[in-house]
Amino acid sequence: MIRKPQTLVIKIGSNVLTLDDGSPDMERMRNLVDQMAFLLEKGLRVVLVTSGAVAFGRKSQSLATKTDAVSRKQVWAAIGQIALIRAYQELFAQKGHPIAQLMVTKEDFRDRTHYLNMKNCLDGLLKNQVVPVINENDAVAVTELMFTDNDELAGLVAAMIDADSLILLTNVDGIYKGHPSDPESELITHVGQKMPDLSQYIATQTSAFGRGGMLTKMSMAKKSADLGIEVWIANGKKDAVLIDFFRQELRCTYFEPGKSKHNQKKWIAHSDTYSKGEVLINEGAKRALLSDKITSLLPIGIQSINGDFLKGDIVRILDSEGKRIGLGKAEYGAETARDKIGLSGQRPLIHYDYLYISESN
């Protein structure tokens, strides 16, 4: 831990909140709320991103056998969300802390104005000592509207509210060099900014009751760390996981943060799904963008443009070999940009203030 946390986003996964049979684990839920209350009383601002609605719905309502898989999940999520938030409300109330519910889809993060409205709501709740409890709206989020999982949602929320810390709670201690159940596997306890790709160590299967797996957790943790957020992947099944976190005694995988980015850049960093085109740049432009100097993307450094983006759209930035190195908000449309390719003395296609370059490059 580099600094004492001020604003902490806690993501609790489905496998943490469910028993082996898929039913809700109320004792685990109570234990985690008790620990979050401890953090609140130590002065931390806490935002909770939680799974579990489908598990609560499955417990309370059986469905007709002819119900298709998508409808089954939607119905259980719609029913279970009521029980999930009620359980959190009662448990937090017993500790003297009010909560508020926010249900979101990926669409809510696409528009910058809508994004800022959500940020203002969350800021207002935190200033008034209300714990935001956030979940994906699985009743309406299907296919392209779905987050990869709640790890992605937690990373988006952490960036949105300028949180300094993010902890992803799962059912293992972190990332291992091998299968977590193998006693010979080594836990990777520290991931630095210049660490090589760790995906070679990670099995690709998803969790039993959630969509995500360790690969998506690692990807989101790296992106959040690139934005200046400290990240931990830890075992939420441990009774004192959040207490150990606060005391800096937690056995887990820790991701070292890079330089903190402005909120505008944090929004752009998470906007890859919404990009409308691609800009291929030459080696000179790549070196300039990857340097420590404040640099905008100028037409002279552009090789080619794909797509029909408009002013204000998000575009991907690729090097000459097609590797993505960043994202940015276009200052003008693709048609105008094509006319300016290779020309000097032109206005930037992407201004530095609206440019995100991944530090992992």
Side-chain angles (χ1 to χ4, degrees):
M1 188 181 295
I2 291 178
R3 59 212 166 207
K4 182 180 178 182
Q6 302 293 318
T7 302
L8 171 66
V9 175
I10 300 170
K11 181 265 179 174
I12 303 179
S14 297
N15 270 1
V16 175
L17 290 179
T18 51
L19 299 168
D20 291 341
D21 63 0
S23 61
D25 187 344
M26 295 307 301
E27 281 305 307
R28 179 63 50 202
M29 196 173 185
R30 180 182 297 277
N31 178 278
L32 287 166
V33 170
D34 288 349
Q35 293 180 71
M36 284 184 275
F38 168 85
L39 297 178
L40 290 164
E41 286 149 19
K42 292 296 184 181
L44 275 69
R45 305 199 309 171
V46 172
V47 175
L48 172 60
V49 176
T50 183
S51 304
V54 173
F56 273 85
R58 186 189 296 115
K59 175 188 177 184
S60 61
Q61 181 72 47
S62 59
L63 302 179
T65 54
K66 293 183 179 180
T67 307
D68 65 81
V70 173
S71 297
R72 187 179 296 271
K73 181 182 177 184
Q74 288 177 299
V75 171
W76 275 336
I79 294 169
Q81 185 62 32
I82 299 170
L84 177 69
I85 200 68
R86 181 183 296 150
Y88 274 123
Q89 185 177 39
E90 291 175 356
L91 291 169
F92 273 103
Q94 290 169 15
K95 294 293 181 177
H97 298 286
I99 69 167
Q101 175 181 247
L102 282 84
M103 302 293 295
V104 300
T105 69
K106 210 165 190 175
E107 284 287 300
D108 294 321
F109 292 85
R110 179 174 294 182
D111 178 74
R112 178 68 179 168
T113 301
H114 198 172
Y115 178 94
L116 291 174
N117 287 340
M118 281 199 296
K119 173 178 169 57
N120 290 338
C121 176
L122 288 168
D123 288 344
L125 291 170
L126 292 171
K127 286 175 182 175
N128 286 281
Q129 290 77 53
V130 178
V131 179
V133 180
I134 306 172
N135 195 5
E136 180 174 11
N137 192 347
D138 287 325
V140 300
V142 292
T143 60
E144 73 278 358
L145 296 182
M146 295 170 68
F147 296 101
T148 304
D149 58 17
N150 270 351
D151 299 311
E152 182 183 7
L153 174 55
L156 281 161
V157 169
M160 171 186 282
I161 63 172
D162 297 314
D164 49 70
S165 304
L166 167 64
I167 183 165
L168 304 174
L169 296 181
T170 183
N171 60 346
V172 293
D173 289 343
I175 300 174
Y176 285 83
K177 291 183 176 179
H179 198 281
S181 62
D182 184 350
E184 299 299 317
S185 293
E186 177 188 350
L187 178 67
I188 300 171
T189 58
H190 187 280
V191 180
Q193 279 288 297
K194 301 301 181 182
M195 285 279 285
D197 184 17
L198 302 178
S199 59
Q200 60 181 308
Y201 300 122
I202 301 173
T204 56
Q205 69 265 24
T206 60
S207 61
F209 301 109
R211 291 199 304 275
M214 190 56 74
L215 199 59
T216 59
K217 286 177 177 59
M218 184 201 71
S219 176
M220 187 49 56
K222 281 290 289 179
K223 178 175 284 189
S224 296
D226 278 351
L227 298 175
I229 301 168
E230 291 190 89
V231 186
W232 294 258
I233 298 176
N235 192 341
K237 292 285 192 180
K238 288 187 172 180
D239 287 342
V241 58
L242 297 178
I243 308 298
D244 288 346
F245 157 79
F246 182 79
R247 293 173 176 166
Q248 302 186 39
E249 299 171 354
L250 183 58
R251 185 173 183 269
C252 64
T253 300
Y254 169 74
F255 290 77
E256 177 186 316
K259 295 178 182 177
S260 183
K261 305 291 191 297
H262 294 301
N263 190 269
Q264 179 84 266
K265 289 179 181 279
K266 290 179 180 178
W267 172 65
I268 291 171
H270 286 283
S271 297
D272 184 65
T273 306
Y274 320 131
S275 60
K276 299 295 180 66
E278 296 177 340
V279 178
L280 274 72
I281 62 174
N282 59 35
E283 285 303 306
K286 180 180 178 180
R287 285 194 299 272
L289 293 180
L290 294 179
S291 72
D292 292 331
K293 296 180 180 179
I294 295 176
T295 307
S296 299
L297 178 57
L298 301 170
I300 194 171
I302 297 174
Q303 286 185 333
S304 63
I305 289 171
N306 299 322
D308 293 315
F309 55 86
L310 302 174
K311 178 181 178 180
D313 284 341
I314 300 298
V315 295
R316 292 189 185 98
I317 303 168
L318 312 178
D319 66 15
S320 57
E321 297 179 350
K323 178 186 176 183
R324 200 198 82 177
I325 64 170
L327 296 159
K329 188 170 78 169
E331 293 292 305
Y332 39 87
E335 185 176 347
T336 301
R338 287 190 180 95
D339 292 337
K340 296 176 180 288
I341 288 176
L343 299 181
S344 60
Q346 302 296 311
R347 190 160 57 96
L349 173 59
I350 301 172
H351 189 275
Y352 173 79
D353 289 343
Y354 304 99
L355 174 67
Y356 167 72
I357 301 297
S358 173
E359 292 188 10
S360 59
N361 284 289

